[in-house]
Structure formats: structure tokens, C-alpha cells
Amino acid sequence: MSDDALPQSDQIDGAPHPRETATLVGQHVAEENFLEAFNGDRLHHAWMITGPRGVGKATLAWKLAKFLLANPPVDANDMFGAPPAPTTLDIDPNHPVIARMNAGSEAGLFVLKRPYDEDKKKFKQQITVDEVRKLKGFFSLSATEGGRRIVIVDAADDMNVSAANALLKVLEEPPADALLFLISHQPSRLLPTIRSRCRELRCVTLDADHMSAALTATGADIGTHGSALAELSSGSVGEALRMLNLGGLEVYADLVALAATFPKLDRTQMIALGEKAAARGQEARYELMLRLADVLLARLARAGLGQPQSEAARGELEMLARLSPDANAARAWASVSADISARAQHGRAVNLDPSALVIDMVLAMNEVAAKTAA
């Protein structure tokens, strides 16, 4: 099976691959920082692209790779001299580099990622040292082509210890004209020696307007839900797409409707929610339900602190104000949030019935509401 026919570990379900994403939304600061370094002849050999999941880190890495391969190093003896300094990272959409990348035939680019196990029909859990060792062949072959050699590591968080140490050697002694882009969702978990050898490009979460633009660019139909998706996904396009694919807005609306009955608690609604969690073939939706319960608890805590929030479901703001009217309530919700998260993690680890886990969670929330409700 060809690589193009295989699933891609660096692609979000429901979205185009980052190499095919023409528009990067909301990350102009990171773009400007890199362009300034490029024009100032301060192009470091290793860059760590950081930020939450789903905000465009991979899209930025591919955009930088296209830009660099379309703007090769200038020979100091070139009789025509250096070209004018570019003012944007965008390149002509008809540039041969883009055509080669889309065809998977760009000799100057190597993508280091978790491989797909065709026998087990799933991605391997880690990037192994064998994958990193392929860089040696890439650098030796691409050297004959001339120009820059670009490596995208997506994601550096996926490397095991041996792979990380092997990549560290490359960072310590990089080949000529080689640039590495390490995508990291949690850079604090990487080796300090790897972090110290990289310059950082920080990608930020997206506001509602940028979220709507980014989702529209993926072809997603968001209707009038841009603001709600931005609120519930913490500004992550990837998480917003996941919610759209799994009916997350409906799940959150169910959670809000149930919370609106606290502290009297509509037990019929509670049982119905538990049954949805336990439905066969709905494991991903169940995981999303638990994550959105965490979101609801966090929003209850913020409401008590008076932090402004946009309504993400009908009746939500009224419910938040009633159940979390002050700072004492905020502390209570923050405390139970940590407890519920720990219990949910344990429940999943021991394969507790999803319905029982959800009902336990709801009862714990209702107990707090009985103490905090205005």
C-alpha cells in the first residue's frame, strides 16, 4: 500500500492535511518572528513550534518548509546578487515545490512521525529510534540535490527516549543547510538539551473570529456555532473539528440542561446521559463527554471568579451564575473538578462501566451544587 493510501498520524479527521492547508489563521506573530530571522540572516538550524493541539502548528511547519525550499540559499558569488527580502511567507500556489510536496516527491523534505502498522491496522504509539535513523539516509541523498534540507518532526512529544537521544545528536551536529522544525504540544516533557538547541515559535489559541475563519478554510460547516466552538475547544481548531464530527455541541447542551436541574437533579436526564455514554460503538463520544464535563466544571469555576464568558449552550450563562455566584463557589467547583478528573481517569483504567462513571460524576457535581447554588 502506498504512503498516500495509508492513514496519516499528522492529519486531523475531517480536515485537509497540513501540507494542503493554504491558509494559516491567527498565527501572524509566529510568522513575523520567523520572517524577521530569515531576513536578518539569523536562521537558526532548529525551531520548536509550540502551543496547544489543533491551533495550526503543523500547518505553520509545512508553510515554513514550502517557503524555505522555494527560497534556496543565495550563492555569495552570484553575479546577480541577493534577491529582495521577502515580505511574506506565502509563495506562489503554482510553485513547483508545492506540486512536489502534494505528490510526496519533494527530495528536500523529510517528515518524522509515528509510522502506521499495517498488520495491526493502527499507528504505533511512539516515534522509535529506527525512524530517526532514517534521517541519515535522507541527509546523504538530499545532499546531492543541493539547496536546503528540511525535517518536520510531528510530534516531538511522540519520541521515545532512544529516539529523542538520536535526534539530539542531529541537533548537536546539524548537516549543512539543514533545518529542523519540531512540533510540540507539551515542550516541558522534552529533554532540556533538545529544548535548549531550538528557537521557539509559539502558536496561540484562536479567538471566535479566527476560529470561524480557520474552520471555514477546512471546509467544515459550522453554521452559527463559531463562538460556541471557540469557547468549548479552548481556541483549538483540531478540537473544534473533533466536536463537530462527534456531535460535541449536542453533548455539551445535554450536560448544561442536566446541570440546570441542580441541586434538585432530574434523575431521568441523568440516566439518559449515562445510557448515551454506554452506547455500543460510541467510545469516542464517551471520551468527548468526559472532556466536556471537565470544560463545564472549569467554566463553573471561572463564573464564580467573575471572568467573562460567552454562552456555549442555551441557558448556560444563567446556570453558571446560579450555581457559582461567588469566589467560595468557584473554589468548590475547582476542587471537585480535580477529584472528578482523577476518578474518571481511574475508572477508564479499570474499565468501569461508562454509564456508572457518568452517573457518579453527575452525583458528585450535584452534591457541590447543593452547597453553592444561589
Side-chain angles (χ1 to χ4, degrees):
M1 186 180 294
S2 69
D3 287 346
D4 287 342
L6 292 174
Q8 301 293 313
S9 63
D10 55 348
Q11 181 175 6
I12 297 171
D13 290 342
H17 191 278
R19 69 170 172 264
E20 301 167 349
T21 305
T23 304
L24 176 62
V25 178
Q27 307 303 343
H28 61 278
V29 173
E31 293 188 66
E32 290 170 0
N33 288 343
F34 185 85
L35 187 60
E36 181 181 353
F38 179 87
N39 288 332
D41 199 23
R42 293 180 283 105
L43 200 58
H44 196 60
H45 71 278
W47 297 78
M48 186 171 291
I49 303 176
T50 65
R53 290 181 182 273
V55 296
K57 297 188 299 297
T59 299
L60 175 59
W62 281 87
K63 184 171 187 174
L64 296 176
K66 294 171 187 175
F67 171 80
L68 291 171
L69 291 171
N71 291 276
V74 177
D75 188 339
N77 297 319
D78 191 324
M79 63 180 295
F80 296 105
T87 58
T88 176
L89 294 176
D90 296 323
I91 66 172
D92 186 339
N94 296 316
H95 197 286
V97 164
I98 293 180
R100 292 196 298 269
M101 281 192 175
N102 290 339
S105 61
E106 174 52 62
L109 176 68
F110 184 93
V111 182
L112 182 60
K113 59 185 180 181
R114 288 184 294 128
Y116 186 73
D117 189 325
E118 293 190 55
D119 294 331
K120 296 182 178 180
K121 304 301 180 185
K122 64 179 183 180
F123 293 107
K124 293 184 177 180
Q125 294 298 308
Q126 298 177 320
I127 296 174
T128 65
V129 68
D130 290 335
E131 297 300 314
V132 179
R133 285 172 178 159
K134 293 178 182 178
L135 289 176
K136 183 177 180 180
F138 164 68
F139 288 131
S140 62
L141 289 174
S142 58
T144 62
E145 301 284 337
R148 293 192 173 93
R149 280 82 58 77
I150 311 296
V151 175
I152 296 175
V153 185
D154 191 1
D157 313 296
D158 295 334
M159 294 187 294
N160 63 24
V161 174
S162 297
N165 283 322
L167 185 68
L168 177 59
K169 293 180 180 179
V170 177
L171 295 174
E172 290 174 337
E173 299 179 13
D177 293 325
L179 283 95
L180 293 89
F181 295 109
L182 282 66
I183 297 168
S184 178
H185 316 299
Q186 295 178 302
S188 62
R189 294 188 176 183
L190 298 178
L191 292 175
T193 44
I194 286 181
R195 299 200 307 268
S196 67
R197 283 164 174 78
C198 300
R199 284 192 59 181
E200 183 179 16
L201 290 172
R202 175 73 179 173
C203 289
V204 299
T205 55
L206 306 184
D207 60 24
D209 290 340
H210 283 140
M211 174 68 74
S212 296
L215 287 171
T216 300
T218 70
D221 181 10
I222 63 172
T224 59
H225 303 305
S227 177
L229 288 168
E231 288 284 313
L232 299 180
S233 67
S234 299
S236 165
V237 176
E239 187 62 27
L241 285 170
R242 180 170 173 245
M243 282 199 290
L244 284 172
N245 293 336
L246 297 174
L249 292 175
E250 292 83 359
V251 171
Y252 190 72
D254 287 344
L255 288 168
V256 167
L258 180 55
T261 71
F262 292 168
K264 295 182 179 180
L265 181 58
D266 186 322
R267 293 184 175 271
T268 301
Q269 285 190 49
M270 178 181 70
I271 292 171
L273 190 68
E275 290 174 346
K276 288 181 180 180
R280 187 181 298 275
Q282 295 296 313
E283 291 81 5
R285 191 178 173 97
Y286 163 57
E287 292 292 333
L288 180 61
M289 182 183 295
L290 295 180
R291 198 198 77 76
L292 287 173
D294 281 340
V295 171
L296 175 56
L297 288 164
R299 289 171 69 79
L300 279 162
R302 287 199 293 270
L305 296 175
Q307 297 178 6
Q309 302 179 99
S310 297
E311 189 163 81
R314 184 183 297 275
E316 185 201 24
L317 291 183
E318 180 182 353
M319 177 272 295
L320 293 176
R322 182 175 64 83
L323 297 183
S324 191
D326 52 37
N328 287 333
R331 283 191 289 271
W333 287 113
S335 177
V336 77
S337 176
D339 180 55
I340 287 176
S341 294
R343 286 155 69 175
Q345 184 176 2
H346 174 73
R348 291 197 297 270
V350 300
N351 293 319
L352 185 68
D353 175 61
S355 179
L357 182 57
V358 168
I359 288 174
D360 176 70
M361 173 186 71
V362 171
L363 290 174
M365 293 172 66
N366 190 63
E367 185 177 339
V368 174
K371 302 173 182 176
T372 65

